[in-house]
Each structure stands twice: as structure tokens, then as C-alpha cells.
Amino acid sequence: MSGAVKLVRNEELSSVAEYAYAATAEAPTRVVWTAGACPLDEHGATVAVGDYAGQADQVMRNLVTALRGAGAELSDIVKTTVYVASTRQEDLVKAWEVVRSHMGEHDAPSTLLGVAVLGYDDQLVEVEAVAVTS
């Protein structure tokens, strides 16, 4: 590691994850890459089991916290990827509607996709983001 990248940890989020919640790299602008935000509470337990919208809400609240720890906010996001553990489009839409509501008028480019499984027990939704600040 060259020292240009700073891994950001946030004590407001669960320490169960085996990775930093965000990373920054200095350049003409400051770029923030987040790990996938998961539907975990402060103790590392999956919330809203079986509820796509409920998990998406927790994911977005955790994403806000991770971004804040790196000095960014939702309006700094330049790209998100939304993962939903389902083969049913209606489940993807349930998660997406919550993600979009959190983003407000800041409709950054995003990829929404269904996947077979996500990393934590009972996890249905995950969102990763790239943000840029000046």
C-alpha cells in the first residue's frame, strides 16, 4: 500500500465486518469507495429478516454512516450498485424504491441486480457506492 489510500473505519457500525466500511484516495478530487452496506444493526445482527424494503432502509442508513465517516454524504455519490438476493423483479423493485427515496433528488447512476446469495445470514439487500468530494 502506497499510503495514498486511507481505509476508514466507523465505530458507529458493527465491527463484525472483516473490512473497512470506506476508503479514500487523494487526487484532484477526493474519491470515496464504500464496501457494500449491509442490513446489520450495531451488534452485527441482520435486521428486518424477510423484508426487502426494511433491509434496504437499514442498508441506506448504514451507507450514510459509512459515508459520513469518510467525510462524504449521499449527495456526493457518483455511482451505486444495489444487490438484491432474489430472482423476482418485484423484490428488486421493493429494495430499489427505498434506495431511491433515500437518495432524494440526487439520482446518481446505479446498477440494480439480483444475485443468488449475499454474505450474512438472512441478508437480502446490499448497496455499495463511489462518492467524490472536493
Side-chain angles (χ1 to χ4, degrees), residues 7-10 13-23 33-40 62 66 119-120 123 126-128:
L7 297 180
V8 179
R9 305 206 185 321
N10 191 311
L13 296 172
S14 169
S15 62
V16 171
E18 298 181 62
Y19 45 79
Y21 281 99
W33 292 269
T34 70
C38 299
L40 303 177
N62 287 347
Y120 291 99
Q123 182 182 357
E126 185 164 331
V127 177
E128 64 183 19

mmCIF file with all atom_site columns, all heavy atoms in Angstrom, residues 7-10 13-23 33-40 62 66 119-120 123 126-128:
data_model
loop_
_atom_site.group_PDB
_atom_site.id
_atom_site.type_symbol
_atom_site.label_atom_id
_atom_site.label_alt_id
_atom_site.label_comp_id
_atom_site.label_asym_id
_atom_site.label_entity_id
_atom_site.label_seq_id
_atom_site.pdbx_PDB_ins_code
_atom_site.Cartn_x
_atom_site.Cartn_y
_atom_site.Cartn_z
_atom_site.occupancy
_atom_site.B_iso_or_equiv
_atom_site.pdbx_formal_charge
_atom_site.auth_seq_id
_atom_site.auth_comp_id
_atom_site.auth_asym_id
_atom_site.auth_atom_id
_atom_site.pdbx_PDB_model_num
ATOM 1   N N   . LEU A 1 7   ? -7.976  3.694   4.638  1.00 0.00 ? 7   LEU A N   1
ATOM 2   C CA  . LEU A 1 7   ? -9.132  2.879   4.978  1.00 0.00 ? 7   LEU A CA  1
ATOM 3   C C   . LEU A 1 7   ? -9.835  3.519   6.163  1.00 0.00 ? 7   LEU A C   1
ATOM 4   O O   . LEU A 1 7   ? -9.194  3.897   7.139  1.00 0.00 ? 7   LEU A O   1
ATOM 5   C CB  . LEU A 1 7   ? -8.711  1.457   5.325  1.00 0.00 ? 7   LEU A CB  1
ATOM 6   C CG  . LEU A 1 7   ? -8.043  0.688   4.188  1.00 0.00 ? 7   LEU A CG  1
ATOM 7   C CD1 . LEU A 1 7   ? -7.662  -0.710  4.650  1.00 0.00 ? 7   LEU A CD1 1
ATOM 8   C CD2 . LEU A 1 7   ? -8.951  0.626   2.968  1.00 0.00 ? 7   LEU A CD2 1
ATOM 9   N N   . VAL A 1 8   ? -11.130 3.653   6.056  1.00 0.00 ? 8   VAL A N   1
ATOM 10  C CA  . VAL A 1 8   ? -11.913 4.352   7.063  1.00 0.00 ? 8   VAL A CA  1
ATOM 11  C C   . VAL A 1 8   ? -12.787 3.355   7.815  1.00 0.00 ? 8   VAL A C   1
ATOM 12  O O   . VAL A 1 8   ? -13.542 2.616   7.217  1.00 0.00 ? 8   VAL A O   1
ATOM 13  C CB  . VAL A 1 8   ? -12.800 5.436   6.412  1.00 0.00 ? 8   VAL A CB  1
ATOM 14  C CG1 . VAL A 1 8   ? -13.631 6.158   7.455  1.00 0.00 ? 8   VAL A CG1 1
ATOM 15  C CG2 . VAL A 1 8   ? -11.943 6.410   5.621  1.00 0.00 ? 8   VAL A CG2 1
ATOM 16  N N   . ARG A 1 9   ? -12.660 3.342   9.135  1.00 0.00 ? 9   ARG A N   1
ATOM 17  C CA  . ARG A 1 9   ? -13.497 2.503   9.985  1.00 0.00 ? 9   ARG A CA  1
ATOM 18  C C   . ARG A 1 9   ? -14.397 3.427   10.794 1.00 0.00 ? 9   ARG A C   1
ATOM 19  O O   . ARG A 1 9   ? -14.039 4.565   11.062 1.00 0.00 ? 9   ARG A O   1
ATOM 20  C CB  . ARG A 1 9   ? -12.636 1.665   10.897 1.00 0.00 ? 9   ARG A CB  1
ATOM 21  C CG  . ARG A 1 9   ? -11.641 0.862   10.037 1.00 0.00 ? 9   ARG A CG  1
ATOM 22  C CD  . ARG A 1 9   ? -11.176 -0.364  10.660 1.00 0.00 ? 9   ARG A CD  1
ATOM 23  N NE  . ARG A 1 9   ? -10.170 -1.138  10.021 1.00 0.00 ? 9   ARG A NE  1
ATOM 24  C CZ  . ARG A 1 9   ? -9.981  -1.412  8.746  1.00 0.00 ? 9   ARG A CZ  1
ATOM 25  N NH1 . ARG A 1 9   ? -10.732 -0.887  7.855  1.00 0.00 ? 9   ARG A NH1 1
ATOM 26  N NH2 . ARG A 1 9   ? -9.038  -2.198  8.335  1.00 0.00 ? 9   ARG A NH2 1
ATOM 27  N N   . ASN A 1 10  ? -15.572 2.957   11.150 1.00 0.00 ? 10  ASN A N   1
ATOM 28  C CA  . ASN A 1 10  ? -16.527 3.796   11.857 1.00 0.00 ? 10  ASN A CA  1
ATOM 29  C C   . ASN A 1 10  ? -17.096 3.012   13.025 1.00 0.00 ? 10  ASN A C   1
ATOM 30  O O   . ASN A 1 10  ? -17.744 1.989   12.832 1.00 0.00 ? 10  ASN A O   1
ATOM 31  C CB  . ASN A 1 10  ? -17.639 4.236   10.904 1.00 0.00 ? 10  ASN A CB  1
ATOM 32  C CG  . ASN A 1 10  ? -18.501 5.304   11.490 1.00 0.00 ? 10  ASN A CG  1
ATOM 33  O OD1 . ASN A 1 10  ? -18.955 5.178   12.617 1.00 0.00 ? 10  ASN A OD1 1
ATOM 34  N ND2 . ASN A 1 10  ? -18.738 6.354   10.731 1.00 0.00 ? 10  ASN A ND2 1
ATOM 35  N N   . LEU A 1 13  ? -20.754 1.656   13.311 1.00 0.00 ? 13  LEU A N   1
ATOM 36  C CA  . LEU A 1 13  ? -21.201 0.477   12.577 1.00 0.00 ? 13  LEU A CA  1
ATOM 37  C C   . LEU A 1 13  ? -20.645 -0.779  13.234 1.00 0.00 ? 13  LEU A C   1
ATOM 38  O O   . LEU A 1 13  ? -19.650 -0.734  13.947 1.00 0.00 ? 13  LEU A O   1
ATOM 39  C CB  . LEU A 1 13  ? -20.741 0.556   11.118 1.00 0.00 ? 13  LEU A CB  1
ATOM 40  C CG  . LEU A 1 13  ? -21.332 1.712   10.325 1.00 0.00 ? 13  LEU A CG  1
ATOM 41  C CD1 . LEU A 1 13  ? -20.663 1.814   8.968  1.00 0.00 ? 13  LEU A CD1 1
ATOM 42  C CD2 . LEU A 1 13  ? -22.837 1.533   10.165 1.00 0.00 ? 13  LEU A CD2 1
ATOM 43  N N   . SER A 1 14  ? -21.254 -1.888  12.946 1.00 0.00 ? 14  SER A N   1
ATOM 44  C CA  . SER A 1 14  ? -20.837 -3.166  13.518 1.00 0.00 ? 14  SER A CA  1
ATOM 45  C C   . SER A 1 14  ? -19.386 -3.490  13.181 1.00 0.00 ? 14  SER A C   1
ATOM 46  O O   . SER A 1 14  ? -18.910 -3.236  12.074 1.00 0.00 ? 14  SER A O   1
ATOM 47  C CB  . SER A 1 14  ? -21.737 -4.275  12.965 1.00 0.00 ? 14  SER A CB  1
ATOM 48  O OG  . SER A 1 14  ? -21.207 -5.523  13.296 1.00 0.00 ? 14  SER A OG  1
ATOM 49  N N   . SER A 1 15  ? -18.686 -4.073  14.123 1.00 0.00 ? 15  SER A N   1
ATOM 50  C CA  . SER A 1 15  ? -17.307 -4.497  13.879 1.00 0.00 ? 15  SER A CA  1
ATOM 51  C C   . SER A 1 15  ? -17.258 -5.932  13.354 1.00 0.00 ? 15  SER A C   1
ATOM 52  O O   . SER A 1 15  ? -16.175 -6.497  13.195 1.00 0.00 ? 15  SER A O   1
ATOM 53  C CB  . SER A 1 15  ? -16.493 -4.385  15.169 1.00 0.00 ? 15  SER A CB  1
ATOM 54  O OG  . SER A 1 15  ? -17.039 -5.247  16.163 1.00 0.00 ? 15  SER A OG  1
ATOM 55  N N   . VAL A 1 16  ? -18.398 -6.522  13.068 1.00 0.00 ? 16  VAL A N   1
ATOM 56  C CA  . VAL A 1 16  ? -18.458 -7.890  12.553 1.00 0.00 ? 16  VAL A CA  1
ATOM 57  C C   . VAL A 1 16  ? -17.810 -7.991  11.169 1.00 0.00 ? 16  VAL A C   1
ATOM 58  O O   . VAL A 1 16  ? -17.178 -8.991  10.847 1.00 0.00 ? 16  VAL A O   1
ATOM 59  C CB  . VAL A 1 16  ? -19.927 -8.381  12.504 1.00 0.00 ? 16  VAL A CB  1
ATOM 60  C CG1 . VAL A 1 16  ? -20.048 -9.705  11.787 1.00 0.00 ? 16  VAL A CG1 1
ATOM 61  C CG2 . VAL A 1 16  ? -20.479 -8.490  13.920 1.00 0.00 ? 16  VAL A CG2 1
ATOM 62  N N   . ALA A 1 17  ? -17.951 -6.947  10.370 1.00 0.00 ? 17  ALA A N   1
ATOM 63  C CA  . ALA A 1 17  ? -17.393 -6.963  9.020  1.00 0.00 ? 17  ALA A CA  1
ATOM 64  C C   . ALA A 1 17  ? -15.871 -7.046  9.083  1.00 0.00 ? 17  ALA A C   1
ATOM 65  O O   . ALA A 1 17  ? -15.242 -6.384  9.895  1.00 0.00 ? 17  ALA A O   1
ATOM 66  C CB  . ALA A 1 17  ? -17.815 -5.709  8.269  1.00 0.00 ? 17  ALA A CB  1
ATOM 67  N N   . GLU A 1 18  ? -15.324 -7.834  8.169  1.00 0.00 ? 18  GLU A N   1
ATOM 68  C CA  . GLU A 1 18  ? -13.869 -8.016  8.132  1.00 0.00 ? 18  GLU A CA  1
ATOM 69  C C   . GLU A 1 18  ? -13.231 -7.138  7.066  1.00 0.00 ? 18  GLU A C   1
ATOM 70  O O   . GLU A 1 18  ? -12.361 -7.584  6.328  1.00 0.00 ? 18  GLU A O   1
ATOM 71  C CB  . GLU A 1 18  ? -13.552 -9.489  7.892  1.00 0.00 ? 18  GLU A CB  1
ATOM 72  C CG  . GLU A 1 18  ? -14.064 -10.380 9.004  1.00 0.00 ? 18  GLU A CG  1
ATOM 73  C CD  . GLU A 1 18  ? -13.739 -11.837 8.784  1.00 0.00 ? 18  GLU A CD  1
ATOM 74  O OE1 . GLU A 1 18  ? -12.554 -12.179 8.732  1.00 0.00 ? 18  GLU A OE1 1
ATOM 75  O OE2 . GLU A 1 18  ? -14.683 -12.605 8.642  1.00 0.00 ? 18  GLU A OE2 1
ATOM 76  N N   . TYR A 1 19  ? -13.669 -5.900  6.999  1.00 0.00 ? 19  TYR A N   1
ATOM 77  C CA  . TYR A 1 19  ? -13.141 -4.938  6.031  1.00 0.00 ? 19  TYR A CA  1
ATOM 78  C C   . TYR A 1 19  ? -13.497 -3.538  6.501  1.00 0.00 ? 19  TYR A C   1
ATOM 79  O O   . TYR A 1 19  ? -14.362 -3.358  7.352  1.00 0.00 ? 19  TYR A O   1
ATOM 80  C CB  . TYR A 1 19  ? -13.728 -5.170  4.631  1.00 0.00 ? 19  TYR A CB  1
ATOM 81  C CG  . TYR A 1 19  ? -15.218 -5.402  4.625  1.00 0.00 ? 19  TYR A CG  1
ATOM 82  C CD1 . TYR A 1 19  ? -16.115 -4.336  4.739  1.00 0.00 ? 19  TYR A CD1 1
ATOM 83  C CD2 . TYR A 1 19  ? -15.728 -6.682  4.545  1.00 0.00 ? 19  TYR A CD2 1
ATOM 84  C CE1 . TYR A 1 19  ? -17.475 -4.543  4.760  1.00 0.00 ? 19  TYR A CE1 1
ATOM 85  C CE2 . TYR A 1 19  ? -17.092 -6.900  4.562  1.00 0.00 ? 19  TYR A CE2 1
ATOM 86  C CZ  . TYR A 1 19  ? -17.965 -5.828  4.662  1.00 0.00 ? 19  TYR A CZ  1
ATOM 87  O OH  . TYR A 1 19  ? -19.321 -6.039  4.684  1.00 0.00 ? 19  TYR A OH  1
ATOM 88  N N   . ALA A 1 20  ? -12.837 -2.543  5.939  1.00 0.00 ? 20  ALA A N   1
ATOM 89  C CA  . ALA A 1 20  ? -13.171 -1.153  6.225  1.00 0.00 ? 20  ALA A CA  1
ATOM 90  C C   . ALA A 1 20  ? -14.494 -0.818  5.543  1.00 0.00 ? 20  ALA A C   1
ATOM 91  O O   . ALA A 1 20  ? -14.811 -1.378  4.501  1.00 0.00 ? 20  ALA A O   1
ATOM 92  C CB  . ALA A 1 20  ? -12.072 -0.231  5.706  1.00 0.00 ? 20  ALA A CB  1
ATOM 93  N N   . TYR A 1 21  ? -15.234 0.090   6.136  1.00 0.00 ? 21  TYR A N   1
ATOM 94  C CA  . TYR A 1 21  ? -16.510 0.490   5.546  1.00 0.00 ? 21  TYR A CA  1
ATOM 95  C C   . TYR A 1 21  ? -16.346 1.481   4.402  1.00 0.00 ? 21  TYR A C   1
ATOM 96  O O   . TYR A 1 21  ? -17.275 1.674   3.618  1.00 0.00 ? 21  TYR A O   1
ATOM 97  C CB  . TYR A 1 21  ? -17.410 1.082   6.629  1.00 0.00 ? 21  TYR A CB  1
ATOM 98  C CG  . TYR A 1 21  ? -18.067 0.008   7.459  1.00 0.00 ? 21  TYR A CG  1
ATOM 99  C CD1 . TYR A 1 21  ? -17.541 -0.327  8.700  1.00 0.00 ? 21  TYR A CD1 1
ATOM 100 C CD2 . TYR A 1 21  ? -19.169 -0.676  7.003  1.00 0.00 ? 21  TYR A CD2 1
ATOM 101 C CE1 . TYR A 1 21  ? -18.118 -1.324  9.469  1.00 0.00 ? 21  TYR A CE1 1
ATOM 102 C CE2 . TYR A 1 21  ? -19.754 -1.674  7.770  1.00 0.00 ? 21  TYR A CE2 1
ATOM 103 C CZ  . TYR A 1 21  ? -19.232 -1.988  9.005  1.00 0.00 ? 21  TYR A CZ  1
ATOM 104 O OH  . TYR A 1 21  ? -19.816 -2.984  9.748  1.00 0.00 ? 21  TYR A OH  1
ATOM 105 N N   . ALA A 1 22  ? -15.209 2.127   4.280  1.00 0.00 ? 22  ALA A N   1
ATOM 106 C CA  . ALA A 1 22  ? -14.967 3.071   3.194  1.00 0.00 ? 22  ALA A CA  1
ATOM 107 C C   . ALA A 1 22  ? -13.464 3.232   3.008  1.00 0.00 ? 22  ALA A C   1
ATOM 108 O O   . ALA A 1 22  ? -12.673 2.831   3.868  1.00 0.00 ? 22  ALA A O   1
ATOM 109 C CB  . ALA A 1 22  ? -15.603 4.424   3.508  1.00 0.00 ? 22  ALA A CB  1
ATOM 110 N N   . ALA A 1 23  ? -13.070 3.785   1.869  1.00 0.00 ? 23  ALA A N   1
ATOM 111 C CA  . ALA A 1 23  ? -11.667 4.098   1.591  1.00 0.00 ? 23  ALA A CA  1
ATOM 112 C C   . ALA A 1 23  ? -11.616 5.396   0.815  1.00 0.00 ? 23  ALA A C   1
ATOM 113 O O   . ALA A 1 23  ? -12.530 5.697   0.046  1.00 0.00 ? 23  ALA A O   1
ATOM 114 C CB  . ALA A 1 23  ? -11.011 2.979   0.791  1.00 0.00 ? 23  ALA A CB  1
ATOM 115 N N   . TRP A 1 33  ? -14.740 5.205   -1.830 1.00 0.00 ? 33  TRP A N   1
ATOM 116 C CA  . TRP A 1 33  ? -15.328 3.936   -2.212 1.00 0.00 ? 33  TRP A CA  1
ATOM 117 C C   . TRP A 1 33  ? -15.847 3.270   -0.939 1.00 0.00 ? 33  TRP A C   1
ATOM 118 O O   . TRP A 1 33  ? -15.104 3.161   0.030  1.00 0.00 ? 33  TRP A O   1
ATOM 119 C CB  . TRP A 1 33  ? -14.288 3.002   -2.827 1.00 0.00 ? 33  TRP A CB  1
ATOM 120 C CG  . TRP A 1 33  ? -13.769 3.426   -4.157 1.00 0.00 ? 33  TRP A CG  1
ATOM 121 C CD1 . TRP A 1 33  ? -14.251 3.082   -5.376 1.00 0.00 ? 33  TRP A CD1 1
ATOM 122 C CD2 . TRP A 1 33  ? -12.618 4.247   -4.409 1.00 0.00 ? 33  TRP A CD2 1
ATOM 123 N NE1 . TRP A 1 33  ? -13.490 3.648   -6.367 1.00 0.00 ? 33  TRP A NE1 1
ATOM 124 C CE2 . TRP A 1 33  ? -12.475 4.375   -5.796 1.00 0.00 ? 33  TRP A CE2 1
ATOM 125 C CE3 . TRP A 1 33  ? -11.710 4.910   -3.572 1.00 0.00 ? 33  TRP A CE3 1
ATOM 126 C CZ2 . TRP A 1 33  ? -11.476 5.111   -6.386 1.00 0.00 ? 33  TRP A CZ2 1
ATOM 127 C CZ3 . TRP A 1 33  ? -10.708 5.645   -4.160 1.00 0.00 ? 33  TRP A CZ3 1
ATOM 128 C CH2 . TRP A 1 33  ? -10.585 5.744   -5.552 1.00 0.00 ? 33  TRP A CH2 1
ATOM 129 N N   . THR A 1 34  ? -17.084 2.839   -0.946 1.00 0.00 ? 34  THR A N   1
ATOM 130 C CA  . THR A 1 34  ? -17.604 2.141   0.232  1.00 0.00 ? 34  THR A CA  1
ATOM 131 C C   . THR A 1 34  ? -17.644 0.649   -0.024 1.00 0.00 ? 34  THR A C   1
ATOM 132 O O   . THR A 1 34  ? -17.828 0.199   -1.154 1.00 0.00 ? 34  THR A O   1
ATOM 133 C CB  . THR A 1 34  ? -19.031 2.597   0.616  1.00 0.00 ? 34  THR A CB  1
ATOM 134 O OG1 . THR A 1 34  ? -19.964 2.144   -0.370 1.00 0.00 ? 34  THR A OG1 1
ATOM 135 C CG2 . THR A 1 34  ? -19.104 4.105   0.780  1.00 0.00 ? 34  THR A CG2 1
ATOM 136 N N   . ALA A 1 35  ? -17.506 -0.101  1.051  1.00 0.00 ? 35  ALA A N   1
ATOM 137 C CA  . ALA A 1 35  ? -17.824 -1.527  0.986  1.00 0.00 ? 35  ALA A CA  1
ATOM 138 C C   . ALA A 1 35  ? -19.337 -1.623  0.861  1.00 0.00 ? 35  ALA A C   1
ATOM 139 O O   . ALA A 1 35  ? -20.057 -0.645  1.071  1.00 0.00 ? 35  ALA A O   1
ATOM 140 C CB  . ALA A 1 35  ? -17.350 -2.215  2.262  1.00 0.00 ? 35  ALA A CB  1
ATOM 141 N N   . GLY A 1 36  ? -19.836 -2.768  0.527  1.00 0.00 ? 36  GLY A N   1
ATOM 142 C CA  . GLY A 1 36  ? -21.281 -2.935  0.461  1.00 0.00 ? 36  GLY A CA  1
ATOM 143 C C   . GLY A 1 36  ? -21.903 -2.695  1.827  1.00 0.00 ? 36  GLY A C   1
ATOM 144 O O   . GLY A 1 36  ? -21.510 -3.323  2.807  1.00 0.00 ? 36  GLY A O   1
ATOM 145 N N   . ALA A 1 37  ? -22.854 -1.758  1.891  1.00 0.00 ? 37  ALA A N   1
ATOM 146 C CA  . ALA A 1 37  ? -23.586 -1.520  3.139  1.00 0.00 ? 37  ALA A CA  1
ATOM 147 C C   . ALA A 1 37  ? -24.594 -2.656  3.305  1.00 0.00 ? 37  ALA A C   1
ATOM 148 O O   . ALA A 1 37  ? -25.314 -3.008  2.368  1.00 0.00 ? 37  ALA A O   1
ATOM 149 C CB  . ALA A 1 37  ? -24.288 -0.168  3.091  1.00 0.00 ? 37  ALA A CB  1
ATOM 150 N N   . CYS A 1 38  ? -24.637 -3.217  4.496  1.00 0.00 ? 38  CYS A N   1
ATOM 151 C CA  . CYS A 1 38  ? -25.466 -4.383  4.769  1.00 0.00 ? 38  CYS A CA  1
ATOM 152 C C   . CYS A 1 38  ? -26.562 -4.043  5.772  1.00 0.00 ? 38  CYS A C   1
ATOM 153 O O   . CYS A 1 38  ? -26.443 -3.071  6.513  1.00 0.00 ? 38  CYS A O   1
ATOM 154 C CB  . CYS A 1 38  ? -24.591 -5.515  5.310  1.00 0.00 ? 38  CYS A CB  1
ATOM 155 S SG  . CYS A 1 38  ? -23.315 -6.030  4.148  1.00 0.00 ? 38  CYS A SG  1
ATOM 156 N N   . PRO A 1 39  ? -27.604 -4.852  5.864  1.00 0.00 ? 39  PRO A N   1
ATOM 157 C CA  . PRO A 1 39  ? -28.708 -4.590  6.781  1.00 0.00 ? 39  PRO A CA  1
ATOM 158 C C   . PRO A 1 39  ? -28.416 -5.087  8.191  1.00 0.00 ? 39  PRO A C   1
ATOM 159 O O   . PRO A 1 39  ? -29.161 -5.892  8.766  1.00 0.00 ? 39  PRO A O   1
ATOM 160 C CB  . PRO A 1 39  ? -29.884 -5.346  6.147  1.00 0.00 ? 39  PRO A CB  1
ATOM 161 C CG  . PRO A 1 39  ? -29.229 -6.524  5.503  1.00 0.00 ? 39  PRO A CG  1
ATOM 162 C CD  . PRO A 1 39  ? -27.913 -5.992  4.982  1.00 0.00 ? 39  PRO A CD  1
ATOM 163 N N   . LEU A 1 40  ? -27.316 -4.609  8.767  1.00 0.00 ? 40  LEU A N   1
ATOM 164 C CA  . LEU A 1 40  ? -26.898 -5.045  10.099 1.00 0.00 ? 40  LEU A CA  1
ATOM 165 C C   . LEU A 1 40  ? -27.133 -3.933  11.110 1.00 0.00 ? 40  LEU A C   1
ATOM 166 O O   . LEU A 1 40  ? -26.921 -2.764  10.815 1.00 0.00 ? 40  LEU A O   1
ATOM 167 C CB  . LEU A 1 40  ? -25.411 -5.402  10.097 1.00 0.00 ? 40  LEU A CB  1
ATOM 168 C CG  . LEU A 1 40  ? -24.955 -6.467  9.100  1.00 0.00 ? 40  LEU A CG  1
ATOM 169 C CD1 . LEU A 1 40  ? -23.441 -6.645  9.183  1.00 0.00 ? 40  LEU A CD1 1
ATOM 170 C CD2 . LEU A 1 40  ? -25.681 -7.781  9.331  1.00 0.00 ? 40  LEU A CD2 1
ATOM 171 N N   . ASN A 1 62  ? -27.019 2.713   7.066  1.00 0.00 ? 62  ASN A N   1
ATOM 172 C CA  . ASN A 1 62  ? -25.624 2.327   7.286  1.00 0.00 ? 62  ASN A CA  1
ATOM 173 C C   . ASN A 1 62  ? -24.703 2.951   6.238  1.00 0.00 ? 62  ASN A C   1
ATOM 174 O O   . ASN A 1 62  ? -23.572 3.334   6.552  1.00 0.00 ? 62  ASN A O   1
ATOM 175 C CB  . ASN A 1 62  ? -25.480 0.805   7.299  1.00 0.00 ? 62  ASN A CB  1
ATOM 176 C CG  . ASN A 1 62  ? -26.043 0.177   8.556  1.00 0.00 ? 62  ASN A CG  1
ATOM 177 O OD1 . ASN A 1 62  ? -26.333 0.852   9.547  1.00 0.00 ? 62  ASN A OD1 1
ATOM 178 N ND2 . ASN A 1 62  ? -26.218 -1.130  8.529  1.00 0.00 ? 62  ASN A ND2 1
ATOM 179 N N   . ALA A 1 66  ? -21.424 5.221   6.941  1.00 0.00 ? 66  ALA A N   1
ATOM 180 C CA  . ALA A 1 66  ? -20.108 4.923   6.366  1.00 0.00 ? 66  ALA A CA  1
ATOM 181 C C   . ALA A 1 66  ? -19.573 6.123   5.582  1.00 0.00 ? 66  ALA A C   1
ATOM 182 O O   . ALA A 1 66  ? -18.405 6.489   5.715  1.00 0.00 ? 66  ALA A O   1
ATOM 183 C CB  . ALA A 1 66  ? -20.187 3.686   5.472  1.00 0.00 ? 66  ALA A CB  1
ATOM 184 N N   . GLY A 1 119 ? -23.741 -12.157 1.768  1.00 0.00 ? 119 GLY A N   1
ATOM 185 C CA  . GLY A 1 119 ? -22.794 -12.690 2.736  1.00 0.00 ? 119 GLY A CA  1
ATOM 186 C C   . GLY A 1 119 ? -23.255 -12.993 4.148  1.00 0.00 ? 119 GLY A C   1
ATOM 187 O O   . GLY A 1 119 ? -22.660 -13.829 4.809  1.00 0.00 ? 119 GLY A O   1
ATOM 188 N N   . TYR A 1 120 ? -24.287 -12.312 4.648  1.00 0.00 ? 120 TYR A N   1
ATOM 189 C CA  . TYR A 1 120 ? -24.706 -12.527 6.030  1.00 0.00 ? 120 TYR A CA  1
ATOM 190 C C   . TYR A 1 120 ? -25.974 -13.362 6.088  1.00 0.00 ? 120 TYR A C   1
ATOM 191 O O   . TYR A 1 120 ? -26.779 -13.364 5.141  1.00 0.00 ? 120 TYR A O   1
ATOM 192 C CB  . TYR A 1 120 ? -24.931 -11.176 6.739  1.00 0.00 ? 120 TYR A CB  1
ATOM 193 C CG  . TYR A 1 120 ? -23.662 -10.413 6.966  1.00 0.00 ? 120 TYR A CG  1
ATOM 194 C CD1 . TYR A 1 120 ? -23.281 -9.388  6.109  1.00 0.00 ? 120 TYR A CD1 1
ATOM 195 C CD2 . TYR A 1 120 ? -22.819 -10.726 8.025  1.00 0.00 ? 120 TYR A CD2 1
ATOM 196 C CE1 . TYR A 1 120 ? -22.102 -8.692  6.304  1.00 0.00 ? 120 TYR A CE1 1
ATOM 197 C CE2 . TYR A 1 120 ? -21.631 -10.033 8.228  1.00 0.00 ? 120 TYR A CE2 1
ATOM 198 C CZ  . TYR A 1 120 ? -21.285 -9.017  7.366  1.00 0.00 ? 120 TYR A CZ  1
ATOM 199 O OH  . TYR A 1 120 ? -20.110 -8.334  7.560  1.00 0.00 ? 120 TYR A OH  1
ATOM 200 N N   . GLN A 1 123 ? -29.586 -12.129 4.851  1.00 0.00 ? 123 GLN A N   1
ATOM 201 C CA  . GLN A 1 123 ? -29.385 -10.863 4.139  1.00 0.00 ? 123 GLN A CA  1
ATOM 202 C C   . GLN A 1 123 ? -30.040 -10.899 2.773  1.00 0.00 ? 123 GLN A C   1
ATOM 203 O O   . GLN A 1 123 ? -29.821 -11.828 1.995  1.00 0.00 ? 123 GLN A O   1
ATOM 204 C CB  . GLN A 1 123 ? -27.896 -10.559 3.987  1.00 0.00 ? 123 GLN A CB  1
ATOM 205 C CG  . GLN A 1 123 ? -27.628 -9.241  3.295  1.00 0.00 ? 123 GLN A CG  1
ATOM 206 C CD  . GLN A 1 123 ? -26.156 -8.958  3.097  1.00 0.00 ? 123 GLN A CD  1
ATOM 207 O OE1 . GLN A 1 123 ? -25.293 -9.719  3.515  1.00 0.00 ? 123 GLN A OE1 1
ATOM 208 N NE2 . GLN A 1 123 ? -25.854 -7.848  2.453  1.00 0.00 ? 123 GLN A NE2 1
ATOM 209 N N   . GLU A 1 126 ? -27.921 -5.294  -0.343 1.00 0.00 ? 126 GLU A N   1
ATOM 210 C CA  . GLU A 1 126 ? -26.614 -4.680  -0.090 1.00 0.00 ? 126 GLU A CA  1
ATOM 211 C C   . GLU A 1 126 ? -26.422 -3.566  -1.109 1.00 0.00 ? 126 GLU A C   1
ATOM 212 O O   . GLU A 1 126 ? -26.813 -3.705  -2.269 1.00 0.00 ? 126 GLU A O   1
ATOM 213 C CB  . GLU A 1 126 ? -25.510 -5.720  -0.223 1.00 0.00 ? 126 GLU A CB  1
ATOM 214 C CG  . GLU A 1 126 ? -24.139 -5.240  0.133  1.00 0.00 ? 126 GLU A CG  1
ATOM 215 C CD  . GLU A 1 126 ? -23.142 -6.381  0.359  1.00 0.00 ? 126 GLU A CD  1
ATOM 216 O OE1 . GLU A 1 126 ? -23.555 -7.473  0.775  1.00 0.00 ? 126 GLU A OE1 1
ATOM 217 O OE2 . GLU A 1 126 ? -21.945 -6.152  0.105  1.00 0.00 ? 126 GLU A OE2 1
ATOM 218 N N   . VAL A 1 127 ? -25.812 -2.452  -0.689 1.00 0.00 ? 127 VAL A N   1
ATOM 219 C CA  . VAL A 1 127 ? -25.549 -1.324  -1.589 1.00 0.00 ? 127 VAL A CA  1
ATOM 220 C C   . VAL A 1 127 ? -24.118 -0.862  -1.392 1.00 0.00 ? 127 VAL A C   1
ATOM 221 O O   . VAL A 1 127 ? -23.696 -0.612  -0.264 1.00 0.00 ? 127 VAL A O   1
ATOM 222 C CB  . VAL A 1 127 ? -26.512 -0.144  -1.325 1.00 0.00 ? 127 VAL A CB  1
ATOM 223 C CG1 . VAL A 1 127 ? -26.163 1.042   -2.221 1.00 0.00 ? 127 VAL A CG1 1
ATOM 224 C CG2 . VAL A 1 127 ? -27.969 -0.556  -1.546 1.00 0.00 ? 127 VAL A CG2 1
ATOM 225 N N   . GLU A 1 128 ? -23.384 -0.746  -2.501 1.00 0.00 ? 128 GLU A N   1
ATOM 226 C CA  . GLU A 1 128 ? -22.056 -0.145  -2.453 1.00 0.00 ? 128 GLU A CA  1
ATOM 227 C C   . GLU A 1 128 ? -22.082 1.140   -3.261 1.00 0.00 ? 128 GLU A C   1
ATOM 228 O O   . GLU A 1 128 ? -22.927 1.304   -4.136 1.00 0.00 ? 128 GLU A O   1
ATOM 229 C CB  . GLU A 1 128 ? -20.977 -1.110  -2.962 1.00 0.00 ? 128 GLU A CB  1
ATOM 230 C CG  . GLU A 1 128 ? -21.105 -1.501  -4.403 1.00 0.00 ? 128 GLU A CG  1
ATOM 231 C CD  . GLU A 1 128 ? -20.056 -2.515  -4.837 1.00 0.00 ? 128 GLU A CD  1
ATOM 232 O OE1 . GLU A 1 128 ? -19.454 -3.176  -3.986 1.00 0.00 ? 128 GLU A OE1 1
ATOM 233 O OE2 . GLU A 1 128 ? -19.862 -2.638  -6.047 1.00 0.00 ? 128 GLU A OE2 1
#
